[in-house]
Coordinates of all heavy atoms in Angstrom, one line a residue:
M1 N -144.7 -228.8 6.3 CA -144.4 -228.3 5.0 C -142.9 -228.1 5.0 O -142.3 -227.7 6.0 CB -145.0 -226.9 4.8 CG -146.5 -227.1 4.4 SD -146.6 -227.9 2.8 CE -148.0 -227.3 2.2
G2 N -142.3 -228.3 3.8 CA -140.9 -228.1 3.6 C -140.6 -226.7 3.2 O -141.4 -225.8 3.2
L3 N -139.4 -226.5 2.7 CA -138.9 -225.2 2.2 C -139.8 -224.8 1.0 O -140.1 -225.6 0.1 CB -137.5 -225.4 1.8 CG -136.7 -224.1 1.4 CD1 -136.7 -223.1 2.5 CD2 -135.3 -224.4 1.0
F4 N -140.2 -223.6 0.9 CA -141.0 -223.0 -0.2 C -142.3 -223.7 -0.4 O -142.8 -224.0 -1.5 CB -140.2 -223.0 -1.5 CG -138.9 -222.3 -1.4 CD1 -137.7 -222.9 -1.6 CD2 -138.9 -220.9 -1.2 CE1 -136.5 -222.2 -1.5 CE2 -137.7 -220.2 -1.1 CZ -136.5 -220.8 -1.3
N5 N -142.9 -224.1 0.7 CA -144.3 -224.7 0.8 C -144.4 -226.1 0.1 O -145.4 -226.5 -0.3 CB -145.3 -223.8 0.2 CG -145.5 -222.6 1.1 OD1 -145.3 -222.7 2.3 ND2 -145.8 -221.4 0.5
R6 N -143.2 -226.7 -0.1 CA -143.3 -228.1 -0.7 C -143.4 -229.1 0.5 O -142.9 -228.8 1.6 CB -142.0 -228.4 -1.5 CG -141.9 -227.6 -2.7 CD -140.8 -227.9 -3.6 NE -139.8 -228.8 -3.0 CZ -138.6 -229.0 -3.5 NH1 -138.2 -228.4 -4.6 NH2 -137.7 -229.9 -3.0
K7 N -144.0 -230.2 0.2 CA -144.1 -231.2 1.3 C -142.7 -231.7 1.6 O -141.9 -231.9 0.8 CB -144.9 -232.4 0.8 CG -146.4 -232.1 0.7 CD -147.1 -233.4 0.5 CE -148.6 -233.1 0.6 NZ -149.4 -234.4 0.4
A8 N -142.5 -231.8 2.9 CA -141.2 -232.3 3.4 C -141.1 -233.8 3.0 O -142.0 -234.5 2.9 CB -141.1 -232.2 4.9
A9 N -139.8 -234.2 2.8 CA -139.6 -235.6 2.4 C -139.9 -236.5 3.6 O -139.6 -236.1 4.8 CB -138.1 -235.7 2.0
P10 N -140.4 -237.7 3.4 CA -140.7 -238.5 4.6 C -139.4 -238.9 5.3 O -138.3 -239.0 4.6 CB -141.3 -239.8 3.9 CG -141.0 -239.7 2.5 CD -140.7 -238.3 2.2
T11 N -139.5 -239.2 6.6 CA -138.3 -239.6 7.3 C -137.9 -241.0 6.9 O -138.8 -241.8 6.4 CB -138.5 -239.6 8.8 OG1 -139.7 -240.4 9.1 CG2 -138.8 -238.2 9.3
T12 N -136.6 -241.3 7.0 CA -136.2 -242.7 6.6 C -136.8 -243.7 7.5 O -136.8 -243.6 8.7 CB -134.7 -242.8 6.6 OG1 -134.2 -242.4 7.9 CG2 -134.1 -241.8 5.6
A13 N -137.2 -244.8 6.9 CA -137.8 -245.9 7.7 C -137.0 -247.1 7.3 O -136.5 -247.3 6.2 CB -139.3 -246.1 7.4
A14 N -136.9 -248.1 8.3 CA -136.2 -249.3 8.0 C -137.0 -250.1 6.9 O -138.2 -250.1 6.9 CB -136.2 -250.1 9.3
P15 N -136.2 -250.7 6.0 CA -136.9 -251.4 5.0 C -137.5 -252.7 5.5 O -137.1 -253.2 6.5 CB -135.8 -251.8 4.0 CG -134.5 -251.7 4.8 CD -134.8 -250.6 5.8
A16 N -138.6 -253.2 4.8 CA -139.3 -254.4 5.3 C -138.5 -255.6 5.1 O -138.6 -256.6 5.8 CB -140.6 -254.5 4.6
A17 N -137.7 -255.6 4.0 CA -136.9 -256.8 3.7 C -135.4 -256.4 3.7 O -135.0 -255.3 3.5 CB -137.3 -257.3 2.3
P18 N -134.5 -257.4 3.8 CA -133.1 -257.1 3.7 C -132.7 -256.5 2.4 O -133.4 -256.7 1.4 CB -132.4 -258.5 3.9 CG -133.4 -259.3 4.6 CD -134.8 -258.8 4.1
A19 N -131.7 -255.6 2.4 CA -131.3 -254.9 1.2 C -130.3 -255.6 0.3 O -129.7 -255.1 -0.6 CB -130.8 -253.5 1.6
G20 N -130.0 -256.9 0.6 CA -129.1 -257.7 -0.2 C -128.0 -258.2 0.6 O -128.0 -258.2 1.9
Q21 N -127.0 -258.7 -0.1 CA -125.8 -259.3 0.6 C -124.6 -258.7 0.0 O -124.5 -258.2 -1.1 CB -125.8 -260.8 0.4 CG -126.9 -261.5 1.2 CD -126.8 -263.0 1.2 OE1 -126.2 -263.6 0.3 NE2 -127.3 -263.6 2.2
V22 N -123.5 -258.8 0.8 CA -122.2 -258.3 0.3 C -121.1 -259.3 0.9 O -121.2 -259.8 2.0 CB -121.9 -256.9 0.8 CG1 -121.8 -256.7 2.3 CG2 -120.7 -256.3 0.1
T23 N -120.1 -259.5 0.1 CA -118.9 -260.3 0.5 C -117.8 -259.3 0.6 O -117.4 -258.7 -0.4 CB -118.6 -261.4 -0.5 OG1 -119.8 -262.3 -0.5 CG2 -117.4 -262.2 0.0
L24 N -117.2 -259.2 1.8 CA -116.1 -258.2 2.0 C -114.7 -258.9 1.8 O -114.6 -260.1 1.6 CB -116.3 -257.6 3.4 CG -117.6 -256.8 3.5 CD1 -117.7 -256.3 5.0 CD2 -117.6 -255.6 2.5
E25 N -113.7 -258.1 1.9 CA -112.3 -258.6 1.8 C -111.9 -259.7 2.7 O -111.1 -260.5 2.3 CB -111.3 -257.4 2.0 CG -111.2 -256.5 0.8 CD -110.2 -255.4 1.1 OE1 -109.5 -255.4 2.1 OE2 -110.0 -254.6 0.2
D26 N -112.6 -259.8 3.9 CA -112.2 -260.9 4.8 C -112.9 -262.2 4.4 O -112.6 -263.2 5.0 CB -112.7 -260.5 6.2 CG -114.1 -260.3 6.4 OD1 -114.9 -260.5 5.4 OD2 -114.6 -259.9 7.5
G27 N -113.6 -262.2 3.3 CA -114.2 -263.4 2.8 C -115.6 -263.7 3.4 O -116.3 -264.6 2.9
N28 N -116.0 -263.0 4.4 CA -117.3 -263.2 5.0 C -118.4 -262.5 4.2 O -118.2 -261.4 3.6 CB -117.3 -262.6 6.4 CG -116.5 -263.4 7.4 OD1 -116.3 -264.6 7.2 ND2 -115.8 -262.7 8.3
T29 N -119.6 -263.2 4.1 CA -120.7 -262.6 3.4 C -121.7 -262.2 4.5 O -122.0 -262.9 5.4 CB -121.4 -263.7 2.5 OG1 -120.4 -264.1 1.6 CG2 -122.6 -263.1 1.8
Y30 N -122.2 -261.0 4.3 CA -123.1 -260.4 5.3 C -124.4 -260.0 4.6 O -124.4 -259.6 3.4 CB -122.5 -259.1 5.9 CG -121.2 -259.3 6.6 CD1 -120.0 -259.1 6.0 CD2 -121.2 -259.7 7.9 CE1 -118.8 -259.3 6.6 CE2 -120.0 -259.9 8.6 CZ -118.8 -259.7 7.9 OH -117.7 -259.9 8.6
T31 N -125.6 -260.2 5.3 CA -126.8 -259.7 4.8 C -127.1 -258.3 5.3 O -127.0 -258.0 6.5 CB -128.0 -260.6 5.4 OG1 -127.7 -261.9 4.9 CG2 -129.3 -260.1 4.9
I32 N -127.3 -257.4 4.4 CA -127.5 -256.0 4.7 C -129.0 -255.8 5.1 O -129.9 -256.1 4.3 CB -127.2 -255.1 3.5 CG1 -125.7 -255.3 3.1 CG2 -127.4 -253.6 3.8 CD1 -125.4 -254.8 1.7
S33 N -129.2 -255.2 6.3 CA -130.5 -255.0 6.8 C -131.0 -253.6 6.5 O -132.3 -253.4 6.5 CB -130.6 -255.3 8.3 OG -129.7 -254.5 9.0
R34 N -130.1 -252.7 6.2 CA -130.6 -251.3 5.9 C -129.5 -250.6 5.1 O -128.3 -250.9 5.3 CB -130.8 -250.6 7.3 CG -131.4 -249.2 7.1 CD -131.8 -248.7 8.4 NE -132.3 -247.3 8.3 CZ -132.7 -246.6 9.3 NH1 -132.8 -247.1 10.5 NH2 -133.1 -245.4 9.1
V35 N -129.9 -249.7 4.3 CA -129.0 -248.8 3.5 C -129.3 -247.4 3.9 O -130.4 -246.9 3.9 CB -129.2 -249.0 2.0 CG1 -128.3 -248.1 1.2 CG2 -129.0 -250.5 1.6
V36 N -128.2 -246.7 4.3 CA -128.3 -245.3 4.6 C -127.6 -244.5 3.5 O -126.4 -244.7 3.3 CB -127.6 -245.0 6.0 CG1 -127.6 -243.5 6.2 CG2 -128.2 -245.7 7.1
D37 N -128.4 -243.8 2.7 CA -127.9 -243.1 1.6 C -127.7 -241.6 2.0 O -128.6 -240.8 2.1 CB -128.9 -243.2 0.4 CG -128.4 -242.5 -0.9 OD1 -127.4 -241.7 -0.8 OD2 -129.0 -242.8 -1.9
V38 N -126.4 -241.2 2.1 CA -126.1 -239.9 2.5 C -125.2 -239.2 1.4 O -124.4 -238.4 1.6 CB -125.4 -239.8 3.8 CG1 -126.4 -240.0 5.0 CG2 -124.2 -240.7 4.0
L39 N -125.5 -239.7 0.1 CA -124.7 -239.1 -1.0 C -125.1 -237.6 -1.1 O -126.2 -237.2 -1.1 CB -125.1 -239.9 -2.3 CG -124.7 -241.3 -2.3 CD1 -125.3 -242.0 -3.6 CD2 -123.2 -241.5 -2.3
G40 N -124.0 -236.8 -1.3 CA -124.2 -235.4 -1.4 C -124.2 -234.7 -0.1 O -124.2 -233.4 0.0
D41 N -124.2 -235.4 1.0 CA -124.2 -234.8 2.4 C -122.8 -234.6 2.9 O -121.9 -235.5 2.6 CB -125.0 -235.6 3.4 CG -126.5 -235.6 3.0 OD1 -127.0 -234.6 2.4 OD2 -127.2 -236.5 3.4
S42 N -122.5 -233.6 3.7 CA -121.2 -233.4 4.3 C -121.3 -233.5 5.8 O -122.4 -233.6 6.3 CB -120.6 -232.1 3.9 OG -121.5 -231.0 4.3
C43 N -120.2 -233.5 6.4 CA -120.1 -233.7 7.9 C -121.0 -232.6 8.6 O -121.0 -231.5 8.1 CB -118.7 -233.6 8.4 SG -117.6 -234.9 7.8
P44 N -121.6 -233.0 9.6 CA -121.7 -234.2 10.3 C -122.9 -235.1 10.0 O -123.1 -236.1 10.6 CB -121.8 -233.8 11.8 CG -122.7 -232.6 11.7 CD -122.3 -231.9 10.4
R45 N -123.6 -234.8 8.9 CA -124.9 -235.5 8.6 C -124.6 -237.0 8.4 O -125.4 -237.8 8.9 CB -125.6 -234.9 7.5 CG -127.0 -235.5 7.3 CD -127.9 -234.6 6.5 NE -129.3 -235.0 6.6 CZ -129.9 -236.0 5.9 NH1 -129.2 -236.7 5.1 NH2 -131.1 -236.3 6.1
P46 N -123.6 -237.5 7.6 CA -123.4 -238.9 7.5 C -123.2 -239.6 8.8 O -123.7 -240.7 9.0 CB -122.2 -239.0 6.5 CG -122.3 -237.7 5.7 CD -122.7 -236.7 6.7
Q47 N -122.4 -239.0 9.7 CA -122.2 -239.6 11.0 C -123.5 -239.7 11.8 O -123.7 -240.7 12.4 CB -121.1 -238.9 11.7 CG -119.7 -239.0 11.1 CD -119.5 -237.9 10.1 OE1 -120.4 -237.3 9.4 NE2 -118.2 -237.6 9.9
L48 N -124.2 -238.6 11.8 CA -125.5 -238.6 12.6 C -126.5 -239.6 12.0 O -127.2 -240.3 12.8 CB -126.1 -237.2 12.6 CG -125.2 -236.1 13.3 CD1 -125.8 -234.7 13.0 CD2 -125.1 -236.4 14.7
M49 N -126.6 -239.7 10.7 CA -127.6 -240.6 10.1 C -127.1 -242.1 10.4 O -128.0 -243.0 10.6 CB -127.7 -240.4 8.6 CG -128.3 -239.0 8.3 SD -130.0 -238.8 9.0 CE -130.9 -240.0 8.1
T50 N -125.8 -242.3 10.4 CA -125.3 -243.7 10.7 C -125.6 -244.0 12.2 O -126.0 -245.1 12.5 CB -123.8 -243.8 10.4 OG1 -123.6 -243.4 9.0 CG2 -123.3 -245.1 10.7
K51 N -125.4 -243.0 13.0 CA -125.7 -243.2 14.5 C -127.1 -243.5 14.7 O -127.5 -244.5 15.4 CB -125.3 -242.0 15.3 CG -125.6 -242.1 16.7 CD -125.2 -240.8 17.5 CE -125.5 -240.9 18.9 NZ -125.2 -239.7 19.7
K52 N -128.0 -242.8 14.0 CA -129.5 -243.0 14.1 C -129.8 -244.4 13.6 O -130.6 -245.1 14.3 CB -130.2 -242.0 13.3 CG -131.7 -242.1 13.3 CD -132.4 -241.1 12.5 CE -133.9 -241.3 12.5 NZ -134.6 -240.5 11.6
A53 N -129.3 -244.8 12.5 CA -129.6 -246.2 12.0 C -129.1 -247.3 12.9 O -129.8 -248.3 13.1 CB -128.9 -246.3 10.6
L54 N -127.9 -247.1 13.5 CA -127.4 -248.1 14.5 C -128.3 -248.1 15.7 O -128.6 -249.2 16.2 CB -126.0 -247.8 14.8 CG -124.9 -248.1 13.8 CD1 -123.6 -247.6 14.2 CD2 -124.8 -249.7 13.6
N55 N -128.8 -247.0 16.2 CA -129.7 -246.9 17.3 C -131.0 -247.7 17.1 O -131.5 -248.3 18.0 CB -130.0 -245.5 17.8 CG -128.8 -244.8 18.5 OD1 -127.9 -245.5 19.0 ND2 -128.8 -243.5 18.4
E56 N -131.5 -247.6 15.9 CA -132.8 -248.2 15.5 C -132.6 -249.7 15.2 O -133.6 -250.4 15.1 CB -133.4 -247.5 14.3 CG -133.8 -246.1 14.7 CD -134.2 -245.2 13.5 OE1 -134.1 -245.7 12.3 OE2 -134.7 -244.1 13.7
A57 N -131.4 -250.1 14.9 CA -131.2 -251.5 14.4 C -131.1 -252.5 15.6 O -130.8 -252.2 16.7 CB -129.9 -251.6 13.6
A58 N -131.4 -253.7 15.2 CA -131.2 -254.8 16.2 C -129.8 -255.2 16.3 O -129.0 -254.9 15.4 CB -132.0 -256.0 15.7
S59 N -129.4 -255.8 17.4 CA -128.0 -256.2 17.6 C -127.6 -257.2 16.5 O -128.4 -258.1 16.2 CB -127.9 -256.9 19.0 OG -126.6 -257.3 19.2
G60 N -126.5 -257.0 16.0 CA -125.9 -257.8 14.9 C -126.4 -257.4 13.5 O -125.9 -258.0 12.5
A61 N -127.2 -256.4 13.4 CA -127.7 -255.9 12.1 C -126.5 -255.3 11.3 O -125.7 -254.5 11.9 CB -128.8 -255.0 12.2
V62 N -126.5 -255.5 10.0 CA -125.4 -254.9 9.2 C -126.1 -253.8 8.4 O -127.1 -253.9 7.7 CB -124.8 -255.9 8.2 CG1 -123.8 -255.3 7.3 CG2 -124.1 -257.0 9.0
I63 N -125.4 -252.6 8.4 CA -125.9 -251.4 7.7 C -124.9 -251.0 6.7 O -123.7 -250.9 7.0 CB -126.2 -250.3 8.7 CG1 -127.3 -250.7 9.7 CG2 -126.6 -249.0 8.0 CD1 -127.4 -249.8 10.9
E64 N -125.4 -250.7 5.5 CA -124.6 -250.1 4.4 C -124.8 -248.6 4.4 O -125.9 -248.1 4.3 CB -124.9 -250.7 3.1 CG -124.1 -250.1 1.9 CD -124.5 -250.6 0.6 OE1 -125.3 -251.5 0.5 OE2 -124.0 -250.1 -0.4
V65 N -123.7 -247.8 4.4 CA -123.8 -246.4 4.3 C -123.1 -246.0 3.0 O -121.9 -246.3 2.8 CB -123.0 -245.7 5.5 CG1 -123.2 -244.2 5.4 CG2 -123.5 -246.2 6.8
K66 N -123.9 -245.4 2.1 CA -123.4 -244.9 0.9 C -123.0 -243.4 1.1 O -123.8 -242.6 1.4 CB -124.5 -245.0 -0.2 CG -124.8 -246.4 -0.6 CD -125.9 -246.4 -1.7 CE -126.2 -247.8 -2.1 NZ -127.1 -247.9 -3.2
V67 N -121.7 -243.1 0.9 CA -121.2 -241.8 1.2 C -120.2 -241.4 0.1 O -119.5 -242.2 -0.4 CB -120.6 -241.7 2.6 CG1 -119.4 -242.7 2.7 CG2 -120.2 -240.3 3.0
D68 N -120.3 -240.1 -0.3 CA -119.4 -239.6 -1.4 C -118.5 -238.5 -0.9 O -117.7 -237.9 -1.6 CB -120.1 -239.1 -2.6 CG -121.1 -238.0 -2.3 OD1 -121.3 -237.7 -1.2 OD2 -121.8 -237.6 -3.3
N69 N -118.5 -238.2 0.4 CA -117.7 -237.2 1.0 C -116.5 -237.9 1.6 O -116.6 -238.7 2.6 CB -118.5 -236.4 2.1 CG -117.7 -235.3 2.7 OD1 -116.7 -235.6 3.3 ND2 -118.2 -234.1 2.6
P70 N -115.2 -237.6 1.2 CA -114.1 -238.3 1.7 C -113.9 -238.1 3.2 O -113.5 -239.1 3.9 CB -112.9 -237.7 0.9 CG -113.5 -237.1 -0.3 CD -114.9 -236.7 0.1
T71 N -114.1 -237.0 3.7 CA -114.0 -236.7 5.2 C -114.9 -237.6 6.0 O -114.6 -238.2 7.0 CB -114.1 -235.2 5.5 OG1 -113.2 -234.5 4.7 CG2 -113.9 -235.0 6.9
S72 N -116.2 -237.6 5.5 CA -117.2 -238.4 6.2 C -116.8 -239.9 6.1 O -117.0 -240.7 7.1 CB -118.6 -238.2 5.6 OG -118.9 -236.9 5.8
M73 N -116.4 -240.4 4.9 CA -116.0 -241.8 4.8 C -114.9 -242.2 5.7 O -114.9 -243.2 6.4 CB -115.5 -242.0 3.3 CG -115.2 -243.5 3.0 SD -113.5 -243.9 3.3 CE -112.5 -242.8 2.4
E74 N -113.9 -241.3 5.9 CA -112.8 -241.6 6.9 C -113.3 -241.5 8.3 O -112.7 -242.2 9.2 CB -111.7 -240.6 6.6 CG -111.0 -240.8 5.3 CD -110.0 -239.7 4.9 OE1 -109.9 -238.7 5.7 OE2 -109.3 -239.8 3.9
A75 N -114.3 -240.7 8.6 CA -114.7 -240.5 10.0 C -115.6 -241.7 10.5 O -115.6 -241.9 11.7 CB -115.5 -239.2 10.1
L76 N -116.3 -242.3 9.6 CA -117.3 -243.4 10.0 C -116.6 -244.5 10.8 O -117.1 -244.8 11.8 CB -118.0 -243.9 8.8 CG -119.1 -242.9 8.3 CD1 -119.7 -243.5 7.0 CD2 -120.2 -242.7 9.3
P77 N -115.5 -245.1 10.3 CA -114.9 -246.2 11.1 C -114.4 -245.7 12.5 O -114.5 -246.5 13.4 CB -113.7 -246.6 10.3 CG -114.1 -246.2 8.9 CD -114.9 -244.9 9.0
T78 N -114.0 -244.5 12.6 CA -113.5 -244.0 13.9 C -114.5 -243.7 14.9 O -114.2 -243.7 16.1 CB -112.6 -242.7 13.7 OG1 -113.4 -241.7 13.1 CG2 -111.4 -243.0 12.7
I79 N -115.8 -243.5 14.5 CA -116.8 -243.2 15.5 C -117.5 -244.5 16.0 O -118.4 -244.4 16.8 CB -117.9 -242.2 14.9 CG1 -118.7 -242.9 13.8 CG2 -117.3 -240.9 14.5 CD1 -120.0 -242.1 13.5
M80 N -117.2 -245.6 15.4 CA -117.9 -246.9 15.7 C -117.9 -247.2 17.2 O -118.9 -247.6 17.8 CB -117.4 -248.1 14.9 CG -117.8 -248.0 13.5 SD -119.6 -248.1 13.2 CE -119.9 -246.4 12.7
A81 N -116.8 -247.0 17.9 CA -116.8 -247.4 19.3 C -117.7 -246.5 20.1 O -118.4 -247.0 21.1 CB -115.4 -247.2 19.9
A82 N -117.9 -245.3 19.7 CA -118.8 -244.3 20.4 C -120.3 -244.6 20.1 O -121.1 -244.1 20.9 CB -118.4 -242.9 20.1
V83 N -120.6 -245.3 19.1 CA -122.0 -245.5 18.7 C -122.4 -246.9 18.7 O -123.4 -247.3 18.1 CB -122.3 -244.9 17.3 CG1 -122.1 -243.4 17.3 CG2 -121.5 -245.5 16.2
N84 N -121.7 -247.7 19.5 CA -122.0 -249.2 19.7 C -122.0 -249.9 18.4 O -122.9 -250.7 18.1 CB -123.3 -249.3 20.4 CG -123.5 -250.7 21.0 OD1 -122.5 -251.4 21.3 ND2 -124.8 -251.1 21.1
G85 N -121.0 -249.7 17.5 CA -120.9 -250.4 16.3 C -119.5 -250.9 15.9 O -118.6 -250.6 16.7
T86 N -119.4 -251.7 14.9 CA -118.2 -252.2 14.4 C -118.1 -251.9 12.9 O -119.0 -252.2 12.2 CB -118.1 -253.7 14.6 OG1 -118.2 -254.0 16.0 CG2 -116.8 -254.3 14.2
H87 N -116.9 -251.4 12.5 CA -116.7 -251.2 11.0 C -116.3 -252.5 10.4 O -115.3 -253.2 10.9 CB -115.6 -250.2 10.8 CG -115.2 -250.0 9.4 ND1 -114.0 -250.4 8.9 CD2 -115.9 -249.4 8.4 CE1 -113.9 -250.1 7.6 NE2 -115.1 -249.5 7.3
L88 N -117.0 -253.0 9.4 CA -116.7 -254.3 8.8 C -115.9 -254.1 7.6 O -115.0 -255.0 7.2 CB -118.0 -255.0 8.4 CG -119.0 -255.3 9.5 CD1 -120.3 -255.9 9.0 CD2 -118.3 -256.3 10.5
G89 N -116.0 -253.1 6.8 CA -115.2 -252.8 5.6 C -115.8 -251.7 4.8 O -116.9 -251.2 5.0
T90 N -115.0 -251.3 3.8 CA -115.4 -250.2 2.9 C -115.0 -250.6 1.5 O -113.9 -251.1 1.3 CB -114.6 -248.9 3.3 OG1 -114.9 -248.5 4.6 CG2 -115.0 -247.8 2.4
I91 N -116.0 -250.4 0.6 CA -115.8 -250.7 -0.8 C -115.9 -249.5 -1.6 O -116.9 -248.7 -1.4 CB -116.8 -251.8 -1.3 CG1 -116.6 -253.1 -0.5 CG2 -116.7 -252.0 -2.8 CD1 -117.7 -254.1 -0.9
K92 N -114.9 -249.2 -2.5 CA -115.0 -248.0 -3.4 C -115.8 -248.4 -4.6 O -115.6 -249.3 -5.3 CB -113.6 -247.6 -3.8 CG -113.5 -246.5 -4.8 CD -113.9 -245.2 -4.1 CE -113.6 -244.0 -5.1 NZ -114.8 -243.2 -5.4
A93 N -116.9 -247.7 -4.8 CA -117.8 -247.8 -6.0 C -117.3 -246.7 -7.0 O -116.3 -246.1 -6.8 CB -119.2 -247.6 -5.6
D94 N -118.0 -246.5 -8.1 CA -117.6 -245.6 -9.1 C -117.4 -244.2 -8.6 O -116.4 -243.6 -8.8 CB -118.6 -245.6 -10.2 CG -118.6 -246.8 -11.1 OD1 -117.5 -247.5 -11.1 OD2 -119.6 -247.2 -11.7
F95 N -118.5 -243.6 -7.9 CA -118.4 -242.2 -7.4 C -118.7 -242.1 -6.0 O -118.9 -240.9 -5.5 CB -119.4 -241.4 -8.2 CG -119.1 -241.4 -9.7 CD1 -119.9 -242.2 -10.6 CD2 -118.1 -240.7 -10.3 CE1 -119.7 -242.3 -11.9 CE2 -117.8 -240.8 -11.6 CZ -118.6 -241.5 -12.5
Y96 N -118.6 -243.1 -5.2 CA -118.9 -243.1 -3.8 C -118.3 -244.3 -3.1 O -117.7 -245.2 -3.7 CB -120.4 -243.0 -3.5 CG -121.2 -244.2 -4.0 CD1 -121.5 -245.2 -3.1 CD2 -121.7 -244.3 -5.3 CE1 -122.2 -246.3 -3.5 CE2 -122.4 -245.3 -5.7 CZ -122.7 -246.4 -4.8 OH -123.4 -247.5 -5.2
W97 N -118.4 -244.3 -1.8 CA -117.9 -245.4 -1.0 C -119.1 -246.1 -0.4 O -120.1 -245.5 0.0 CB -117.0 -245.0 0.1 CG -115.7 -244.5 -0.3 CD1 -114.5 -245.2 -0.6 CD2 -115.3 -243.2 -0.6 NE1 -113.5 -244.4 -1.0 CE2 -114.0 -243.1 -1.1 CE3 -116.0 -242.0 -0.6 CZ2 -113.3 -242.0 -1.4 CZ3 -115.4 -240.8 -1.0 CH2 -114.0 -240.8 -1.4
R98 N -119.0 -247.5 -0.2 CA -120.0 -248.3 0.5 C -119.3 -248.7 1.8 O -118.4 -249.5 1.8 CB -120.4 -249.5 -0.3 CG -121.0 -249.1 -1.7 CD -121.2 -250.3 -2.5 NE -122.2 -251.2 -1.9 CZ -122.3 -252.5 -2.2 NH1 -121.5 -253.1 -3.1 NH2 -123.2 -253.2 -1.7
V99 N -119.7 -248.1 2.9 CA -119.2 -248.4 4.2 C -120.1 -249.4 4.9 O -121.3 -249.1 5.0 CB -119.0 -247.1 5.0 CG1 -118.4 -247.4 6.4 CG2 -118.1 -246.1 4.3
F100 N -119.6 -250.5 5.4 CA -120.4 -251.5 6.1 C -120.1 -251.5 7.6 O -119.0 -251.6 8.0 CB -120.2 -252.9 5.5 CG -120.6 -252.9 4.0 CD1 -119.6 -252.6 3.0 CD2 -121.9 -253.1 3.6 CE1 -120.0 -252.6 1.7 CE2 -122.2 -253.1 2.3 CZ -121.3 -252.9 1.3
V101 N -121.2 -251.4 8.4 CA -121.0 -251.4 9.8 C -122.0 -252.3 10.4 O -123.1 -252.6 9.8 CB -121.2 -249.9 10.4 CG1 -120.2 -249.0 9.9 CG2 -122.6 -249.4 10.1
R102 N -121.7 -252.8 11.6 CA -122.6 -253.8 12.3 C -122.9 -253.2 13.7 O -121.9 -252.8 14.4 CB -122.0 -255.2 12.4 CG -122.9 -256.1 13.2 CD -122.3 -257.5 13.2 NE -120.9 -257.5 13.7 CZ -119.9 -258.3 13.2 NH1 -120.1 -259.1 12.3 NH2 -118.7 -258.2 13.8
K103 N -124.1 -253.4 14.2 CA -124.4 -253.0 15.5 C -123.9 -254.0 16.5 O -124.2 -255.2 16.3 CB -125.9 -252.7 15.7 CG -126.3 -252.3 17.1 CD -127.7 -251.8 17.3 CE -127.9 -251.3 18.7 NZ -129.2 -250.8 18.8
N104 N -123.3 -253.6 17.5 CA -122.8 -254.6 18.5 C -123.9 -255.1 19.4 O -124.9 -254.6 19.5 CB -121.7 -253.9 19.4 CG -120.5 -253.5 18.7 OD1 -120.2 -254.1 17.6 ND2 -119.7 -252.6 19.2

């Protein structure tokens, strides 16, 4: 049970199919294997959820992290070496950033 006797939200599971493709500034097109939506969350949750997604991903998998917290957006590329990942690029959307990372 969750807060105030409501059912807890299900834990995030890897999607059965790829979440789409993206072409980044370097001209390369990547297939997104998972999307981590941490909109509305502040540090350290976006970093922890990204780390969890990378741990569960196969080598070479590309993960999109949707984040609207500027501090978290800036921290994600810097933690990649510690979480066995590579920052591929960041795209500014209307009200959030799309951060793309790949598992090494």
